[in-house]
Amino acid sequence: MAYQGKSALVTGGGSGMGALAAQQFAAAGAQVAILDVNEAGLKETAAGNPNIHPYVVDITDFAAVEAAVAEFESAHGPLDRVYNCAAIMPFGKLLEQDPAVTNKLMSINYGGLVCVARATVPGMVARGCGEFASFASMSGIIPSLMMGGYNASKAAVATYTEVLWHENRDSGVKFVCVCPPAVATPLLNQGKETTWPKLMQQSEGSELTPDVVLAAVDADLEKGNFWCTVTREAKIGFYMRRWMPNAVWNNIHKVEGF
Ligand SMILES: NC(=O)c1ccc[n+]([C@@H]2O[C@H](COP(=O)([O-])OP(=O)(O)OC[C@H]3O[C@@H](n4cnc5c(N)ncnc54)[C@H](O)[C@@H]3O)[C@@H](O)[C@H]2O)c1
């Protein structure tokens, strides 16, 4: 990817896929803004890389997101690419999870996307170009037991992004909705520290690596594909959920044992 002279913004840039995406964009020659609440993670991502510009920003704070975008764009030019990666992932049965936690999932994972999209996409649409990657999850496509709060937030991310794409499909801006299965990043620890469904236990050891996901996002942006499922198995799951939802649920109940 040649990215000399381009500008990118990555939320969740202090960890996992956001951190790697920022480093890849910077290595390819872009100036990159990274937004995160994790100040130590931001410093680590930016260490030794003058092309990476950290902003300690909570993406649910629209004014703070707008201010960071304005400051970065005035210094480095209009954004060419935006990756919204920031998210949280506590698990739990819906009737056992603190409602404040279930609502926080929606506020950060979905509400944060709304703030980032509203602060960045209008400029791209006005310029008639740009690339916007929204990190949903296969969990936003296939709901499961003990992940309901996360599932709901990621389904909202997928739906919002799909409508955003269709409302702006003639704008020249490319949109991609990223829906990978499990990826080996620190995010998984939040699930493990709360409730760890057997389905997630089954995928332990076969998680994707962040570089594989980012390469798939790049390829789908290049091809103009909206859905990025990353793997063939996830793509099959995507269609199974649509065509045979009961079969998918039966399997989930069988695996979890209730
Ligand atoms: N890891 C997986 O298994 C997996 C699978 C599918 C989709 N995803 C999605 O991919 C994206 C990236 O995930 P990851 O695995 O790299 O996660 P990660 O936990 O490694 O990184 C997420 C970052 O988001 C930041 N963040 C959380 N709340 C924030 C807020 N309010 N404002 C700003 N930053 C905030 C965290 O501090 C963290 O640095 C997420 O949207 C996640 O839901 C992850």
Side-chain angles (χ1 to χ4, degrees):
M1 178 184 56
Y3 229 46
Q4 204 66 40
K6 304 270 186 182
S7 294
L9 180 144
V10 181
T11 75
S15 176
M17 289 184 267
L20 183 62
Q23 286 165 342
Q24 288 182 348
F25 298 162
Q31 296 293 324
V32 190
I34 49 173
L35 278 57
D36 206 303
V37 287
N38 174 359
E39 197 171 352
L42 285 174
K43 277 194 187 137
E44 207 175 304
T45 304
N49 202 328
N51 285 9
I52 300 184
H53 310 274
Y55 293 85
V56 181
V57 166
D58 181 335
I59 61 161
T60 65
D61 180 344
F62 182 54
V65 175
E66 271 197 316
V69 170
E71 187 183 308
F72 178 76
E73 285 193 323
S74 72
H76 302 289
L79 288 167
D80 299 289
R81 184 175 268 199
V82 174
Y83 275 31
N84 187 54
C85 300
I88 58 168
M89 196 183 75
F91 286 157
K93 278 186 176 177
L94 290 174
L95 294 186
E96 291 171 3
Q97 189 172 56
D98 182 337
V101 172
T102 314
N103 284 330
K104 191 174 174 190
L105 272 158
M106 194 56 92
S107 163
I108 294 175
N109 296 0
Y110 170 68
L113 164 66
V114 174
C115 293
V116 173
R118 290 303 303 270
T120 60
V121 176
M124 289 181 170
V125 168
R127 293 187 291 278
C129 60
E131 296 169 323
F132 188 90
S134 206
F135 280 65
S137 169
M138 202 29 67
S139 301
I141 306 296
I142 307 177
S144 197
L145 299 170
M146 293 173 280
M147 307 183 200
Y150 184 71
N151 292 146
S153 72
K154 289 296 175 174
V157 166
T159 299
Y160 179 94
T161 310
E162 189 174 2
V163 177
L164 189 66
W165 164 46
H166 277 279
E167 286 182 348
N168 297 285
R169 67 179 185 166
D170 299 323
S171 66
V173 180
K174 287 183 178 179
F175 296 89
V176 64
C177 186
V178 189
C179 301
V183 186
T185 73
L187 189 76
L188 296 180
N189 296 334
Q190 295 181 34
K192 287 181 187 156
E193 284 158 13
T194 47
T195 303
W196 198 229
K198 293 202 178 80
L199 262 181
M200 295 300 293
Q201 291 173 29
Q202 280 186 347
S203 67
E204 275 180 85
S206 59
E207 294 95 348
L208 300 173
T209 52
D211 58 315
V212 169
V213 178
L214 295 177
V217 178
D218 226 27
D220 280 322
L221 275 170
E222 185 72 28
K223 288 182 217 150
N225 293 339
F226 176 72
W227 296 107
C228 174
T229 54
V230 185
T231 67
R232 190 174 166 273
E233 292 73 22
K235 192 175 219 167
I236 292 168
F238 181 95
Y239 287 110
M240 292 264 297
R241 161 68 187 165
R242 275 164 170 70
W243 296 334
M244 292 184 274
N246 288 342
V248 175
W249 269 119
N250 287 343
N251 182 55
I252 291 167
H253 283 291
K254 199 168 141 197
V255 170
E256 301 300 344
F258 72 98

